[in-house]
mmCIF file of all heavy atoms in Angstrom:
data_model
loop_
_atom_site.group_PDB
_atom_site.id
_atom_site.type_symbol
_atom_site.label_atom_id
_atom_site.label_comp_id
_atom_site.label_asym_id
_atom_site.label_seq_id
_atom_site.Cartn_x
_atom_site.Cartn_y
_atom_site.Cartn_z
ATOM 1 N N ALA A 96 -22.852 32.720 29.571
ATOM 2 C CA ALA A 96 -23.932 31.852 29.095
ATOM 3 C C ALA A 96 -24.750 32.639 28.086
ATOM 4 O O ALA A 96 -24.765 33.872 28.106
ATOM 5 C CB ALA A 96 -24.813 31.387 30.256
ATOM 6 N N VAL A 97 -25.453 31.931 27.202
ATOM 7 C CA VAL A 97 -26.234 32.595 26.160
ATOM 8 C C VAL A 97 -27.539 31.840 25.964
ATOM 9 O O VAL A 97 -27.590 30.614 26.091
ATOM 10 C CB VAL A 97 -25.420 32.669 24.841
ATOM 11 C CG1 VAL A 97 -25.041 31.290 24.355
ATOM 12 C CG2 VAL A 97 -26.177 33.428 23.769
ATOM 13 N N ASN A 98 -28.629 32.579 25.679
ATOM 14 C CA ASN A 98 -29.909 31.922 25.404
ATOM 15 C C ASN A 98 -30.161 31.840 23.905
ATOM 16 O O ASN A 98 -29.360 32.315 23.090
ATOM 17 C CB ASN A 98 -31.057 32.622 26.142
ATOM 18 C CG ASN A 98 -31.273 34.063 25.680
ATOM 19 O OD1 ASN A 98 -30.786 34.491 24.629
ATOM 20 N ND2 ASN A 98 -32.009 34.819 26.474
ATOM 21 N N PHE A 104 -24.959 36.545 28.864
ATOM 22 C CA PHE A 104 -24.903 36.864 30.288
ATOM 23 C C PHE A 104 -23.496 36.566 30.803
ATOM 24 O O PHE A 104 -22.962 35.475 30.590
ATOM 25 C CB PHE A 104 -25.954 36.069 31.054
ATOM 26 C CG PHE A 104 -27.343 36.326 30.535
ATOM 27 C CD1 PHE A 104 -27.884 35.534 29.538
ATOM 28 C CD2 PHE A 104 -28.080 37.409 31.005
ATOM 29 C CE1 PHE A 104 -29.150 35.795 29.027
ATOM 30 C CE2 PHE A 104 -29.337 37.682 30.501
ATOM 31 C CZ PHE A 104 -29.878 36.865 29.509
ATOM 32 N N VAL A 182 -22.476 31.106 35.617
ATOM 33 C CA VAL A 182 -23.769 31.630 35.195
ATOM 34 C C VAL A 182 -24.429 30.617 34.264
ATOM 35 O O VAL A 182 -23.753 29.894 33.524
ATOM 36 C CB VAL A 182 -23.607 33.006 34.498
ATOM 37 C CG1 VAL A 182 -22.765 32.897 33.246
ATOM 38 C CG2 VAL A 182 -24.940 33.651 34.204
ATOM 39 N N ALA A 183 -25.773 30.541 34.321
ATOM 40 C CA ALA A 183 -26.532 29.624 33.468
ATOM 41 C C ALA A 183 -27.879 30.249 33.138
ATOM 42 O O ALA A 183 -28.381 31.110 33.869
ATOM 43 C CB ALA A 183 -26.727 28.276 34.164
ATOM 44 N N VAL A 184 -28.466 29.808 32.031
ATOM 45 C CA VAL A 184 -29.757 30.312 31.582
ATOM 46 C C VAL A 184 -30.776 29.183 31.653
ATOM 47 O O VAL A 184 -30.459 28.018 31.387
ATOM 48 C CB VAL A 184 -29.658 30.843 30.135
ATOM 49 C CG1 VAL A 184 -30.999 31.381 29.660
ATOM 50 C CG2 VAL A 184 -28.594 31.920 30.036
ATOM 51 N N SER A 185 -32.022 29.511 32.027
ATOM 52 C CA SER A 185 -33.089 28.519 32.106
ATOM 53 C C SER A 185 -33.421 27.976 30.717
ATOM 54 O O SER A 185 -33.140 28.621 29.699
ATOM 55 C CB SER A 185 -34.339 29.143 32.736
ATOM 56 O OG SER A 185 -34.823 30.202 31.916
ATOM 57 N N PRO A 186 -34.021 26.781 30.636
ATOM 58 C CA PRO A 186 -34.329 26.187 29.327
ATOM 59 C C PRO A 186 -35.184 27.071 28.424
ATOM 60 O O PRO A 186 -35.013 27.051 27.197
ATOM 61 C CB PRO A 186 -35.061 24.891 29.701
ATOM 62 C CG PRO A 186 -34.507 24.531 31.039
ATOM 63 C CD PRO A 186 -34.299 25.846 31.738
ATOM 64 N N GLY A 188 -35.048 30.271 28.413
ATOM 65 C CA GLY A 188 -34.266 31.463 28.099
ATOM 66 C C GLY A 188 -34.702 32.725 28.790
ATOM 67 O O GLY A 188 -34.140 33.801 28.532
ATOM 68 N N PHE A 190 -34.852 33.277 32.254
ATOM 69 C CA PHE A 190 -34.258 33.521 33.561
ATOM 70 C C PHE A 190 -32.772 33.181 33.524
ATOM 71 O O PHE A 190 -32.343 32.294 32.785
ATOM 72 C CB PHE A 190 -34.955 32.694 34.650
ATOM 73 C CG PHE A 190 -36.382 33.078 34.865
ATOM 74 C CD1 PHE A 190 -37.394 32.417 34.188
ATOM 75 C CD2 PHE A 190 -36.711 34.118 35.718
ATOM 76 C CE1 PHE A 190 -38.720 32.777 34.374
ATOM 77 C CE2 PHE A 190 -38.030 34.487 35.908
ATOM 78 C CZ PHE A 190 -39.047 33.820 35.239
ATOM 79 N N VAL A 191 -32.023 33.894 34.337
ATOM 80 C CA VAL A 191 -30.588 33.656 34.424
ATOM 81 C C VAL A 191 -30.221 33.423 35.890
ATOM 82 O O VAL A 191 -30.760 34.070 36.791
ATOM 83 C CB VAL A 191 -29.786 34.842 33.824
ATOM 84 C CG1 VAL A 191 -30.100 36.146 34.525
ATOM 85 C CG2 VAL A 191 -28.289 34.555 33.866
ATOM 86 N N TYR A 192 -29.342 32.466 36.107
ATOM 87 C CA TYR A 192 -28.897 32.090 37.449
ATOM 88 C C TYR A 192 -27.393 32.315 37.534
ATOM 89 O O TYR A 192 -26.663 31.988 36.602
ATOM 90 C CB TYR A 192 -29.206 30.615 37.728
ATOM 91 C CG TYR A 192 -30.656 30.249 37.555
ATOM 92 C CD1 TYR A 192 -31.167 29.952 36.295
ATOM 93 C CD2 TYR A 192 -31.511 30.191 38.648
ATOM 94 C CE1 TYR A 192 -32.504 29.608 36.127
ATOM 95 C CE2 TYR A 192 -32.851 29.842 38.487
ATOM 96 C CZ TYR A 192 -33.339 29.558 37.231
ATOM 97 O OH TYR A 192 -34.663 29.227 37.060
#
Side-chain angles (χ1 to χ4, degrees):
V97 59
N98 64 16
F104 302 91
V182 62
V184 180
S185 63
F190 295 93
V191 59
Y192 304 83

